[in-house]
Each structure stands twice: as structure tokens, then as C-alpha cells.
Amino acid sequence: LDDHVLFDVIPDDIATAERLKGYQRVFTSSSAHEMEQETYSGLSRFEAPATVLVSANRPEEGDEIDIHFVNYARNEPDDKSRRGFVADENPVPVSGMKADVVIPAGFRVAKVEMITPEGNEPATLSTEQHAGRVQFTVPEILVYGVVRIYLERGEMARSG
């Protein structure tokens, strides 16, 4: 989480060889010590402040990747000025987060959009695509934002 790398946790009872073959890296409790040397090459990465948590999912239906950004940065009131839970919420916006996302084999990116609770309409993000990856910069979020990567069938140019 701290390195802003996407990962999955799978219970042992469903971690079959067939299921695991779709992953680039697999660590188990007995190989956890290997993570200390991990460089995350070839994996999706995000440059974001430590106050931002990043998660992603790929819905079973539909060709898309949804990336969720949750910003926990707050200006905390001192004890004398506390008024109550909602009144004390003082989120600090964050902007300029960089994303470098691996695109599944057999797909290319059609478009990338971002939505936030504060926005009225999805915003289309500028992207760079190459070598089976898409890069983009996340505009400002206050507390929460979702970036949706719309995929279409067809190979994106890949290089070694």
C-alpha cells in the first residue's frame, strides 16, 4: 500500500495453480521475505502522497479498469477548536498524481475518464500509451476520485 502498487490477496482455498497463472508475481507466507527485494518492475504504479490510498478493480462485465483514489489528508483542528465530526472535516486537496497502468493483453485503451463527487460530468484525461501501458496524471481530488480506463479489444503496441 505504501508504495502505491496494485496487489491482490487471495485465500489459500481458492489459490489454485490455474487462478495464479494470471499473476505476474505470487508471494505466499513462506516467500514473504522475498518482497524485501521486490522492485515492482512490470507492475502498475502510482506516484501519490502517502495520504492517498489507491485500489483498482476490473468488473466481471464490461471492458474497463476502475481505479479508486482516496485522500486522507486533513487539516486537524486543535482540541480547543473542535466542534464535532463533520464540522472538523478539513480535507486538503491533492493533485498531480501520476499513474502508470498495465493494460491486459489483448486490449488497448479507448479513453480514460475521471469522476469525483464535486464534478458534474466525467473529465477526459490526456494519456500516453505504449508498451502495453497507459500513463496519465490525475487532476485534483478532495477526498475521493475514480479513474475509469475504457478498454477495447485489440493489441496495444508492445516493446521489450
Side-chain angles (χ1 to χ4, degrees):
L1 285 174
D2 291 343
D3 291 330
H4 295 104
V5 176
L6 297 178
F7 64 92
D8 203 356
V9 177
I10 300 175
D12 291 344
D13 60 336
I14 64 169
T16 63
E18 180 68 22
R19 176 138 186 197
L20 295 179
K21 75 178 184 178
Y23 290 94
Q24 291 184 25
R25 313 262 200 310
V26 175
F27 294 99
T28 64
S29 57
S30 60
S31 68
H33 65 281
E34 296 172 16
M35 289 179 68
E36 295 171 12
Q37 289 82 38
E38 181 59 59
T39 62
Y40 310 119
S41 64
L43 302 178
S44 296
R45 295 291 306 264
F46 302 88
E47 291 178 26
T51 58
V52 175
L53 293 183
V54 181
S55 66
N57 68 292
R58 185 149 177 228
E60 196 169 321
E61 297 291 322
D63 292 334
E64 64 191 48
I65 301 170
D66 297 325
I67 304 172
H68 305 262
F69 296 86
V70 182
N71 178 23
Y72 289 94
R74 304 285 186 275
N75 286 322
E76 298 291 335
D78 60 26
D79 287 336
K80 294 178 201 172
S81 62
R82 287 192 187 274
R83 298 167 298 190
F85 181 72
V86 174
D88 291 337
E89 284 290 308
N90 297 303
V92 176
V94 65
S95 62
M97 295 178 287
K98 305 274 187 211
D100 180 14
V101 181
V102 175
I103 300 305
F107 289 92
R108 64 176 170 250
V109 175
K111 68 178 175 177
V112 177
E113 290 184 334
M114 180 172 172
I115 56 175
T116 65
E118 297 79 30
N120 293 327
E121 298 291 325
T124 300
L125 303 184
S126 297
T127 64
E128 290 186 28
Q129 301 178 51
H130 55 83
R133 306 176 80 86
V134 63
Q135 293 87 27
F136 54 87
T137 300
V138 178
E140 183 176 280
I141 66 168
L142 188 57
V143 176
Y144 181 71
V146 176
V147 171
R148 179 163 289 156
I149 301 172
Y150 292 92
L151 303 172
E152 59 188 13
R153 301 236 174 237
E155 281 296 320
M156 182 181 292
R158 293 182 184 265
S159 63

